[in-house]
Amino acid sequence: MYPHPSIFYPGPSPPGMHYSYMQQQSPPSPVPLYTPTVNHTFVPILTMSPRACPENNQLDIEKIELGVDMRTTVMVKNIPNKMTDKELLEFINNVCPRRIDFLYLRMDFKNGCNVGYAFVNFIDVRDLLVFAKAKLNEKWNMYSSEKILQMSYANYQGKEALVEKFKNSCIMDEREEWRPKIFYSDPGPNQGLPEEFPKPTHIRRKERSSFNRGALFVPGISINQRSCLTTNSALQQVQPQHQGTERRFRRMHDGSKSHADAGSSR
């Protein structure tokens, strides 16, 4: 017969893992008999997110050439901050003309400059290979920038997944040049030309997106960091309101104190 399940008996644990021990609060109830398994040691199930393994997102040209990695969506990093989405599109087209079907250059809405990275989906993995061989680890040579172009794989892969992510986002209410762009993917005369972005299908999701609006999380960020960034973003939006209320109370207090001092002086 095994002990009551409310009592935790840990076995050997992997290094770095910590456990909290549950204490028995009440007399144990009868536990039904069952056939014991061979291994009685408690082994926790480790769920590993791609965000916790940034090495999974590293772009390896050799793996692409061998056909081991067939992903097509990348995050282009270290982009000069003055570059616009049109200039980035032209930069890519100079290497792979009309061979991408998604582009989103993340912008800082306060100063109108990009924040240094963009998400790009290539129509075919061979197009990504051509671009990576030509530009990876090379200087941009624009705006007197010394930045080196870097790339890594995005967590969302493929045009459909990217469209599904952004079509219900509040980003689609921003300026046209700040929104994600899509282009025709199918072979033909329109391939690589601008395509209309689908309309939102979940209004409430879009409203939540506006409320929780913050940084666009890059591959490698943890869930805790994401929560922290979202909280900080919300606090930044609420803080001015609290500051205004605090100033009003301070003025009222100072005014009342001045009036009381004037009365006592008489």
Side-chain angles (χ1 to χ4, degrees):
M1 180 182 296
Y2 267 18
H4 193 268
S6 64
I7 306 176
F8 190 79
Y9 292 89
S13 58
M17 297 291 291
H18 302 279
Y19 301 94
S20 60
Y21 297 88
M22 300 177 63
Q23 298 179 350
Q24 183 177 352
Q25 302 296 331
S26 59
S29 57
V31 181
L33 292 172
Y34 65 95
T35 305
T37 57
V38 176
N39 184 8
H40 303 316
T41 303
F42 172 76
V43 179
I45 299 176
L46 301 178
T47 56
M48 197 61 74
S49 166
R51 296 184 183 87
C53 295
E55 64 273 10
N56 290 345
N57 289 326
Q58 293 178 358
L59 191 145
D60 190 325
I61 291 180
E62 184 178 355
K63 288 184 178 180
I64 301 176
E65 291 177 328
L66 294 175
V68 176
D69 203 329
M70 303 297 290
R71 287 177 286 182
T72 58
T73 307
V74 295
M75 182 174 70
V76 181
K77 299 182 287 187
N78 296 338
I79 300 175
N81 298 103
K82 294 182 180 180
M83 180 178 268
T84 65
D85 62 339
K86 291 182 179 180
E87 291 172 330
L88 179 58
L89 178 61
E90 182 180 358
F91 182 86
I92 298 173
N93 282 337
N94 287 336
V95 181
C96 305
R98 295 168 59 173
R99 298 301 300 172
I100 68 170
D101 54 16
F102 181 91
L103 173 68
Y104 176 42
L105 177 62
R106 181 69 164 91
M107 302 296 294
D108 185 330
F109 304 130
K110 293 182 179 180
N111 58 29
C113 297
N114 75 71
V115 298
Y117 63 88
F119 292 94
V120 179
N121 186 67
F122 289 84
I123 295 177
D124 191 278
V125 68
R126 291 170 292 186
D127 304 318
L128 170 58
L129 180 60
V130 170
F131 182 78
K133 283 186 171 182
K135 296 299 182 181
L136 187 62
N137 297 322
E138 296 289 335
K139 286 187 178 181
W140 288 86
N141 294 322
M142 300 179 66
Y143 298 106
S144 302
S145 175
E146 295 296 320
K147 291 183 177 181
I148 305 297
L149 189 149
Q150 296 291 335
M151 288 191 293
S152 62
Y153 288 109
N155 290 331
Y156 289 86
Q157 286 293 316
K159 179 181 178 180
E160 292 183 3
L162 293 163
V163 169
E164 188 64 26
K165 173 178 174 60
F166 285 104
K167 71 179 181 181
N168 294 305
S169 170
C170 63
I171 188 64
M172 300 309 298
D173 295 330
E174 295 294 338
R175 299 182 186 177
E176 176 68 26
E177 60 269 24
W178 292 356
R179 303 175 193 171
K181 308 288 191 304
I182 59 174
F183 309 88
Y184 288 101
S185 311
D186 296 333
N190 291 330
Q191 187 178 57
L193 295 180
E195 180 182 2
E196 183 180 1
F197 213 95
K199 302 298 181 183
T201 54
H202 294 85
I203 302 302
R204 297 188 67 178
R205 186 185 301 173
K206 189 174 183 180
E207 292 173 352
R208 289 196 302 269
S209 170
S210 179
F211 179 78
N212 296 322
R213 182 167 162 179
L216 182 64
F217 306 108
V218 301
I221 194 168
S222 67
I223 298 298
N224 292 335
Q225 289 172 311
R226 171 181 292 199
S227 176
C228 180
L229 286 174
T230 304
T231 302
N232 290 339
S233 177
L235 289 175
Q236 290 173 0
Q237 296 177 4
V238 175
Q239 187 176 7
Q241 299 177 3
H242 289 302
Q243 290 176 346
T245 304
E246 184 180 351
R247 284 194 296 268
R248 286 195 296 271
F249 277 113
R250 189 182 298 114
R251 286 197 298 267
M252 292 172 60
H253 176 73
D254 294 343
S256 299
K257 184 177 179 181
S258 300
H259 182 73
D261 292 342
S264 61
S265 63
R266 295 174 184 175

Short mmCIF file of all heavy atoms in Angstrom, two decimals, residues 147-181:
data_model
loop_
_atom_site.label_atom_id
_atom_site.label_comp_id
_atom_site.label_asym_id
_atom_site.label_seq_id
_atom_site.Cartn_x
_atom_site.Cartn_y
_atom_site.Cartn_z
N LYS A 147 26.10 48.82 -37.39
CA LYS A 147 25.41 47.60 -36.94
C LYS A 147 25.63 46.44 -37.92
O LYS A 147 25.73 46.65 -39.13
CB LYS A 147 23.91 47.86 -36.78
CG LYS A 147 23.56 48.78 -35.62
CD LYS A 147 22.05 48.93 -35.47
CE LYS A 147 21.70 49.78 -34.27
NZ LYS A 147 20.24 49.91 -34.11
N ILE A 148 25.66 45.24 -37.36
CA ILE A 148 25.84 44.01 -38.13
C ILE A 148 24.50 43.28 -38.21
O ILE A 148 23.84 43.06 -37.19
CB ILE A 148 26.89 43.09 -37.48
CG1 ILE A 148 28.21 43.84 -37.30
CG2 ILE A 148 27.08 41.83 -38.31
CD1 ILE A 148 28.86 44.29 -38.58
N LEU A 149 24.09 42.90 -39.41
CA LEU A 149 22.81 42.21 -39.58
C LEU A 149 22.88 40.81 -38.97
O LEU A 149 23.79 40.04 -39.26
CB LEU A 149 22.46 42.12 -41.06
CG LEU A 149 21.05 41.61 -41.42
CD1 LEU A 149 20.57 42.25 -42.72
CD2 LEU A 149 21.01 40.09 -41.55
N GLN A 150 21.92 40.53 -38.11
CA GLN A 150 21.80 39.22 -37.49
C GLN A 150 20.38 38.69 -37.73
O GLN A 150 19.44 39.46 -37.94
CB GLN A 150 22.08 39.29 -35.98
CG GLN A 150 23.50 39.71 -35.63
CD GLN A 150 24.52 38.65 -35.99
OE1 GLN A 150 24.20 37.47 -36.06
NE2 GLN A 150 25.76 39.06 -36.20
N MET A 151 20.24 37.37 -37.69
CA MET A 151 18.92 36.76 -37.87
C MET A 151 18.76 35.57 -36.95
O MET A 151 19.74 34.88 -36.62
CB MET A 151 18.72 36.30 -39.33
CG MET A 151 18.53 37.42 -40.33
SD MET A 151 17.98 36.80 -41.95
CE MET A 151 19.42 35.90 -42.48
N SER A 152 17.53 35.34 -36.55
CA SER A 152 17.18 34.14 -35.80
C SER A 152 15.77 33.75 -36.21
O SER A 152 15.03 34.56 -36.78
CB SER A 152 17.26 34.39 -34.29
OG SER A 152 16.33 35.38 -33.90
N TYR A 153 15.39 32.52 -35.90
CA TYR A 153 14.05 32.06 -36.27
C TYR A 153 13.02 32.64 -35.32
O TYR A 153 13.26 32.80 -34.12
CB TYR A 153 13.98 30.54 -36.24
CG TYR A 153 14.71 29.89 -37.39
CD1 TYR A 153 15.89 29.19 -37.17
CD2 TYR A 153 14.24 29.98 -38.69
CE1 TYR A 153 16.58 28.59 -38.21
CE2 TYR A 153 14.92 29.39 -39.74
CZ TYR A 153 16.08 28.69 -39.50
OH TYR A 153 16.77 28.11 -40.53
N ALA A 154 11.84 32.93 -35.85
CA ALA A 154 10.73 33.42 -35.05
C ALA A 154 9.95 32.25 -34.46
O ALA A 154 10.00 31.13 -34.96
CB ALA A 154 9.80 34.29 -35.92
N ASN A 155 9.22 32.52 -33.38
CA ASN A 155 8.40 31.48 -32.77
C ASN A 155 7.20 31.14 -33.64
O ASN A 155 6.76 29.99 -33.66
CB ASN A 155 7.94 31.93 -31.39
CG ASN A 155 9.08 31.97 -30.39
OD1 ASN A 155 10.04 31.23 -30.51
ND2 ASN A 155 8.98 32.85 -29.41
N TYR A 156 6.64 32.13 -34.31
CA TYR A 156 5.53 31.90 -35.24
C TYR A 156 6.11 31.67 -36.61
O TYR A 156 6.90 32.48 -37.11
CB TYR A 156 4.57 33.09 -35.26
CG TYR A 156 3.76 33.23 -34.00
CD1 TYR A 156 4.25 33.92 -32.91
CD2 TYR A 156 2.49 32.66 -33.89
CE1 TYR A 156 3.50 34.06 -31.74
CE2 TYR A 156 1.74 32.79 -32.74
CZ TYR A 156 2.26 33.49 -31.67
OH TYR A 156 1.51 33.61 -30.52
N GLN A 157 5.75 30.57 -37.24
CA GLN A 157 6.30 30.20 -38.53
C GLN A 157 5.23 30.16 -39.60
O GLN A 157 4.16 29.58 -39.43
CB GLN A 157 6.99 28.84 -38.44
CG GLN A 157 8.32 28.85 -37.72
CD GLN A 157 9.38 29.63 -38.49
OE1 GLN A 157 9.51 29.49 -39.70
NE2 GLN A 157 10.13 30.46 -37.78
N GLY A 158 5.52 30.80 -40.74
CA GLY A 158 4.63 30.76 -41.88
C GLY A 158 3.70 31.96 -41.95
O GLY A 158 3.35 32.57 -40.94
N LYS A 159 3.31 32.29 -43.15
CA LYS A 159 2.45 33.44 -43.39
C LYS A 159 1.11 33.32 -42.69
O LYS A 159 0.62 34.27 -42.08
CB LYS A 159 2.25 33.60 -44.91
CG LYS A 159 1.35 34.76 -45.31
CD LYS A 159 1.19 34.81 -46.82
CE LYS A 159 0.27 35.92 -47.27
NZ LYS A 159 0.12 35.93 -48.75
N GLU A 160 0.49 32.14 -42.74
CA GLU A 160 -0.82 31.96 -42.14
C GLU A 160 -0.79 32.19 -40.63
O GLU A 160 -1.68 32.86 -40.08
CB GLU A 160 -1.36 30.55 -42.44
CG GLU A 160 -1.69 30.33 -43.91
CD GLU A 160 -2.28 28.95 -44.15
OE1 GLU A 160 -2.47 28.20 -43.16
OE2 GLU A 160 -2.55 28.61 -45.31
N ALA A 161 0.21 31.65 -39.96
CA ALA A 161 0.31 31.83 -38.51
C ALA A 161 0.54 33.29 -38.16
O ALA A 161 -0.02 33.80 -37.18
CB ALA A 161 1.44 30.97 -37.96
N LEU A 162 1.33 34.00 -38.96
CA LEU A 162 1.61 35.41 -38.69
C LEU A 162 0.37 36.27 -38.92
O LEU A 162 0.07 37.17 -38.14
CB LEU A 162 2.75 35.87 -39.59
CG LEU A 162 4.11 35.25 -39.28
CD1 LEU A 162 5.08 35.44 -40.45
CD2 LEU A 162 4.70 35.83 -38.00
N VAL A 163 -0.36 35.99 -39.98
CA VAL A 163 -1.60 36.73 -40.25
C VAL A 163 -2.60 36.50 -39.13
O VAL A 163 -3.27 37.44 -38.67
CB VAL A 163 -2.19 36.32 -41.61
CG1 VAL A 163 -3.60 36.87 -41.78
CG2 VAL A 163 -1.30 36.81 -42.75
N GLU A 164 -2.73 35.25 -38.69
CA GLU A 164 -3.66 34.93 -37.62
C GLU A 164 -3.29 35.66 -36.33
O GLU A 164 -4.16 36.08 -35.57
CB GLU A 164 -3.66 33.41 -37.37
CG GLU A 164 -4.72 32.94 -36.40
CD GLU A 164 -6.14 33.17 -36.90
OE1 GLU A 164 -6.34 33.23 -38.13
OE2 GLU A 164 -7.05 33.31 -36.05
N LYS A 165 -2.00 35.82 -36.09
CA LYS A 165 -1.54 36.51 -34.89
C LYS A 165 -1.85 38.00 -34.93
O LYS A 165 -2.28 38.59 -33.93
CB LYS A 165 -0.03 36.30 -34.70
CG LYS A 165 0.56 37.13 -33.56
CD LYS A 165 2.03 36.85 -33.39
CE LYS A 165 2.64 37.80 -32.35
NZ LYS A 165 2.01 37.65 -31.02
N PHE A 166 -1.65 38.63 -36.08
CA PHE A 166 -1.71 40.09 -36.15
C PHE A 166 -3.06 40.65 -36.59
O PHE A 166 -3.33 41.82 -36.34
CB PHE A 166 -0.62 40.62 -37.08
CG PHE A 166 0.76 40.58 -36.48
CD1 PHE A 166 1.67 39.60 -36.86
CD2 PHE A 166 1.14 41.49 -35.53
CE1 PHE A 166 2.93 39.55 -36.31
CE2 PHE A 166 2.40 41.46 -34.97
CZ PHE A 166 3.31 40.48 -35.36
N LYS A 167 -3.90 39.86 -37.23
CA LYS A 167 -5.14 40.44 -37.76
C LYS A 167 -6.09 40.90 -36.67
O LYS A 167 -6.92 41.78 -36.89
CB LYS A 167 -5.84 39.45 -38.71
CG LYS A 167 -6.47 38.26 -38.02
CD LYS A 167 -7.16 37.37 -39.04
CE LYS A 167 -7.83 36.16 -38.38
NZ LYS A 167 -8.48 35.29 -39.39
N ASN A 168 -5.98 40.32 -35.47
CA ASN A 168 -6.80 40.73 -34.34
C ASN A 168 -6.01 41.56 -33.33
O ASN A 168 -6.37 41.63 -32.16
CB ASN A 168 -7.39 39.50 -33.65
CG ASN A 168 -8.37 38.76 -34.53
OD1 ASN A 168 -9.33 39.33 -35.03
ND2 ASN A 168 -8.11 37.48 -34.74
N SER A 169 -4.94 42.16 -33.79
CA SER A 169 -4.10 42.99 -32.92
C SER A 169 -4.42 44.46 -33.13
O SER A 169 -4.79 44.90 -34.23
CB SER A 169 -2.61 42.73 -33.23
OG SER A 169 -1.80 43.67 -32.57
N CYS A 170 -4.25 45.24 -32.06
CA CYS A 170 -4.51 46.67 -32.15
C CYS A 170 -3.48 47.37 -33.04
O CYS A 170 -3.68 48.52 -33.42
CB CYS A 170 -4.49 47.30 -30.76
SG CYS A 170 -2.89 47.17 -29.92
N ILE A 171 -2.41 46.68 -33.39
CA ILE A 171 -1.41 47.28 -34.27
C ILE A 171 -2.00 47.62 -35.63
O ILE A 171 -1.54 48.54 -36.32
CB ILE A 171 -0.20 46.33 -34.45
CG1 ILE A 171 0.95 47.03 -35.19
CG2 ILE A 171 -0.59 45.07 -35.18
CD1 ILE A 171 1.54 48.19 -34.47
N MET A 172 -3.08 46.92 -36.01
CA MET A 172 -3.70 47.16 -37.31
C MET A 172 -4.47 48.49 -37.34
O MET A 172 -4.95 48.90 -38.39
CB MET A 172 -4.62 46.01 -37.68
CG MET A 172 -3.93 44.66 -37.77
SD MET A 172 -2.46 44.66 -38.82
CE MET A 172 -3.16 45.10 -40.41
N ASP A 173 -4.59 49.16 -36.18
CA ASP A 173 -5.23 50.48 -36.13
C ASP A 173 -4.21 51.62 -36.21
O ASP A 173 -4.59 52.78 -36.19
CB ASP A 173 -6.04 50.62 -34.83
CG ASP A 173 -7.21 49.65 -34.78
OD1 ASP A 173 -7.74 49.31 -35.86
OD2 ASP A 173 -7.58 49.23 -33.66
N GLU A 174 -2.94 51.26 -36.26
CA GLU A 174 -1.90 52.28 -36.33
C GLU A 174 -1.74 52.78 -37.77
O GLU A 174 -2.46 52.38 -38.66
CB GLU A 174 -0.57 51.71 -35.81
CG GLU A 174 -0.58 51.34 -34.34
CD GLU A 174 -0.72 52.56 -33.44
OE1 GLU A 174 -0.40 53.68 -33.89
OE2 GLU A 174 -1.15 52.40 -32.29
N ARG A 175 -0.77 53.64 -37.96
CA ARG A 175 -0.50 54.16 -39.31
C ARG A 175 -0.21 53.02 -40.28
O ARG A 175 0.31 51.98 -39.90
CB ARG A 175 0.70 55.11 -39.29
CG ARG A 175 0.55 56.33 -38.42
CD ARG A 175 1.81 57.18 -38.55
NE ARG A 175 1.81 58.30 -37.63
CZ ARG A 175 2.83 59.17 -37.51
NH1 ARG A 175 3.91 59.00 -38.26
NH2 ARG A 175 2.75 60.16 -36.64
N GLU A 176 -0.53 53.25 -41.52
CA GLU A 176 -0.33 52.23 -42.54
C GLU A 176 1.12 51.75 -42.59
O GLU A 176 1.38 50.55 -42.70
CB GLU A 176 -0.76 52.79 -43.91
CG GLU A 176 -0.52 51.85 -45.07
CD GLU A 176 -1.40 50.62 -45.03
OE1 GLU A 176 -2.49 50.70 -44.44
OE2 GLU A 176 -0.99 49.58 -45.58
N GLU A 177 2.05 52.69 -42.49
CA GLU A 177 3.47 52.32 -42.62
C GLU A 177 3.98 51.59 -41.38
O GLU A 177 5.08 51.04 -41.42
CB GLU A 177 4.32 53.56 -42.88
CG GLU A 177 4.27 54.63 -41.81
CD GLU A 177 3.18 55.67 -42.07
OE1 GLU A 177 2.22 55.35 -42.78
OE2 GLU A 177 3.33 56.80 -41.56
N TRP A 178 3.21 51.58 -40.30
CA TRP A 178 3.63 50.89 -39.08
C TRP A 178 3.01 49.50 -38.94
O TRP A 178 3.36 48.77 -38.02
CB TRP A 178 3.26 51.73 -37.85
CG TRP A 178 4.06 53.00 -37.73
CD1 TRP A 178 5.09 53.41 -38.54
CD2 TRP A 178 3.88 54.02 -36.74
NE1 TRP A 178 5.56 54.63 -38.12
CE2 TRP A 178 4.84 55.03 -37.02
CE3 TRP A 178 3.02 54.19 -35.67
CZ2 TRP A 178 4.96 56.17 -36.24
CZ3 TRP A 178 3.13 55.33 -34.90
CH2 TRP A 178 4.09 56.32 -35.19
N ARG A 179 2.12 49.15 -39.82
CA ARG A 179 1.42 47.88 -39.71
C ARG A 179 2.19 46.75 -40.39
O ARG A 179 3.03 47.00 -41.26
CB ARG A 179 0.03 47.97 -40.37
CG ARG A 179 -0.87 49.06 -39.83
CD ARG A 179 -2.14 49.11 -40.64
NE ARG A 179 -2.92 50.31 -40.37
CZ ARG A 179 -3.98 50.69 -41.07
NH1 ARG A 179 -4.39 49.92 -42.08
NH2 ARG A 179 -4.62 51.79 -40.77
N PRO A 180 1.90 45.50 -40.02
CA PRO A 180 2.45 44.37 -40.76
C PRO A 180 1.96 44.39 -42.21
O PRO A 180 0.85 44.83 -42.49
CB PRO A 180 1.90 43.15 -40.01
CG PRO A 180 1.53 43.66 -38.66
CD PRO A 180 1.10 45.07 -38.85
N LYS A 181 2.79 43.90 -43.11
CA LYS A 181 2.44 43.86 -44.54
C LYS A 181 2.49 42.41 -45.02
O LYS A 181 3.34 41.63 -44.59
CB LYS A 181 3.44 44.68 -45.36
CG LYS A 181 3.67 46.10 -44.87
CD LYS A 181 2.49 47.00 -45.13
CE LYS A 181 2.82 48.47 -44.89
NZ LYS A 181 3.34 48.76 -43.54
#
